[in-house]
């Protein structure tokens, strides 16, 4: 079965760190770029970060640049994001998503995990 | 940065046609993708490249685009279509990946 399963969420104090993981199965992981997308409680979706299939290229939203680091271990079919200097406005459900390149040259998300909740509060 | 604007809510009765719009810049042309998110669930792609429907998505879902406006149409909306719908677009030259604010579709 093709699926993505996130883990690692939890409650963390402001300024703290957290590492999220996403286990992929059912497809050739290294063939796909992967992303993190988050959703604050009651709010919309926000793209956070993307890593290329080989892990050599990374991209970040301005809101997280310098605080989050995306990476992947293709030998273990796992995506990561290291989150440092966390703030209250980082509180969200973090989704792992598979990237697909369209015929028109756009990158979009064609498969999503169920998400993991990160709460930043003292 | 690039913005996509959606109406906060749309309401229809079962069997009626629901239209959800997404407005952005007319130029350069950017293709729009639509995601359905039911309460407590992860998003699901329902339309890609403005008009194409992934396998497994019911035929009542269709997409269109004209100028700066993209539209998701649900013909004969059903109660199970009640969800939040997000448009999405990207500018690969700027690594800019943007979602609209979402539209809550109520079918009752």
């Amino acid at each position: 079965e093709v699926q993505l399963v996130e883990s690692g969420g939890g409650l963390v104090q402001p300024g703290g760190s957290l590492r999220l993981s996403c286990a992929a199965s059912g497809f050739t992981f290294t063939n796909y770029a992967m992303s993190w997308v988050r959703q604050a409680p009651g709010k919309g979706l926000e793209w956070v970060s993307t890593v290329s299939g080989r892990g050599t290229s990374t991209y970040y939203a301005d809101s997280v640049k310098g605080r989050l680091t995306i990476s992947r271990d293709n030998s273990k079919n796992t995506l990561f994001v290291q989150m440092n200097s966390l703030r209250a406005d980082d509180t969200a459900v973090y989704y792992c998503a598979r990237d697909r390149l369209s015929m028109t040259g756009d990158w979009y998300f064609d498969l999503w995990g169920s998400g993991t909740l990160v709460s930043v509060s003292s | 940065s690039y913005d996509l604007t959606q109406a906060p809510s749309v309401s229809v009765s079962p069997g009626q046609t629901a239209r959800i719009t997404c407005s952005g810049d007319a130029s350069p042309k950017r293709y729009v993708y639509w995601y359905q998110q039911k309460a407590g669930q992860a998003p699901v792609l329902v339309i890609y490249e403005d008009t194409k429907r992934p396998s497994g998505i019911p035929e009542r879902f269709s997409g269109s685009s004209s100028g700066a406006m993209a539209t998701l149409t649900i013909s004969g909306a059903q109660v199970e279509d009640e969800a939040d719908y997000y448009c999405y677009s990207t500018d690969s030259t700027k690594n800019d990946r943007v979602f609209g604010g979402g539209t809550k579709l109520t079918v009752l």
Side-chain angles (χ1 to χ4, degrees):
Chain A
E1 180 186 4
V2 177
Q3 65 175 356
L4 300 169
V5 180
E6 301 92 337
S7 60
L11 176 63
V12 61
Q13 292 188 338
S17 298
L18 209 57
R19 189 195 198 202
L20 307 182
S21 301
C22 170
S25 59
F27 62 97
T28 304
F29 186 63
T30 191
N31 286 353
Y32 292 87
M34 297 293 297
S35 293
W36 290 97
V37 177
R38 70 183 180 182
Q39 186 171 36
K43 302 297 184 182
L45 300 168
E46 179 189 16
W47 167 73
V48 172
S49 183
T50 298
V51 61
S52 61
R54 294 184 179 182
T56 53
S57 297
T58 57
Y59 310 90
Y60 298 93
D62 288 344
S63 59
V64 303
K65 204 169 290 184
R67 300 186 301 116
L68 269 62
T69 302
I70 192 171
S71 62
R72 61 193 295 162
D73 183 340
N74 286 343
S75 69
K76 297 182 178 178
N77 291 347
T78 303
L79 175 72
F80 303 101
V81 62
Q82 177 67 42
M83 310 168 69
N84 298 328
S85 303
L86 284 163
R87 313 185 302 222
D89 62 0
D90 293 317
T91 294
V93 173
Y94 284 75
Y95 293 102
C96 165
R98 188 176 73 177
D99 277 89
R100 192 175 192 94
L101 182 63
S102 75
M103 296 294 289
T104 58
D106 302 321
W107 287 100
Y108 66 101
F109 315 105
D110 73 337
L111 177 69
W112 299 65
S114 57
T116 186
L117 176 63
V118 172
S119 296
V120 183
S121 175
S122 55
Chain B
S1 64
Y2 182 63
D3 291 322
L4 295 171
T5 301
Q6 299 181 241
S9 63
V10 168
S11 183
V12 298
S13 299
Q16 288 188 329
T17 296
R19 293 182 178 86
I20 298 170
T21 60
C22 174
S23 63
D25 292 339
S27 180
K29 163 66 179 178
R30 298 184 187 218
Y31 287 88
V32 170
Y33 302 73
W34 290 94
Y35 292 90
Q36 175 196 66
Q37 186 180 34
K38 296 183 178 179
Q41 298 184 21
V44 172
L45 180 71
V46 294
I47 293 290
Y48 66 102
E49 294 177 20
D50 285 349
T51 61
K52 298 177 182 178
R53 194 174 53 248
S55 61
I57 300 302
E59 290 185 6
R60 62 180 181 273
F61 288 87
S62 64
S64 62
S65 179
S66 177
M69 183 80 73
T71 302
L72 172 68
T73 301
I74 308 172
S75 303
Q78 301 182 9
V79 173
E80 60 260 36
D81 298 331
E82 195 163 277
D84 293 324
Y85 290 85
Y86 294 91
C87 60
Y88 162 87
S89 191
T90 182
D91 178 353
S92 59
T93 62
K94 298 180 180 178
N95 295 317
D96 197 7
R97 309 182 72 168
V98 178
F99 290 94
T103 297
K104 182 177 182 61
L105 174 65
T106 301
V107 183
L108 54 75

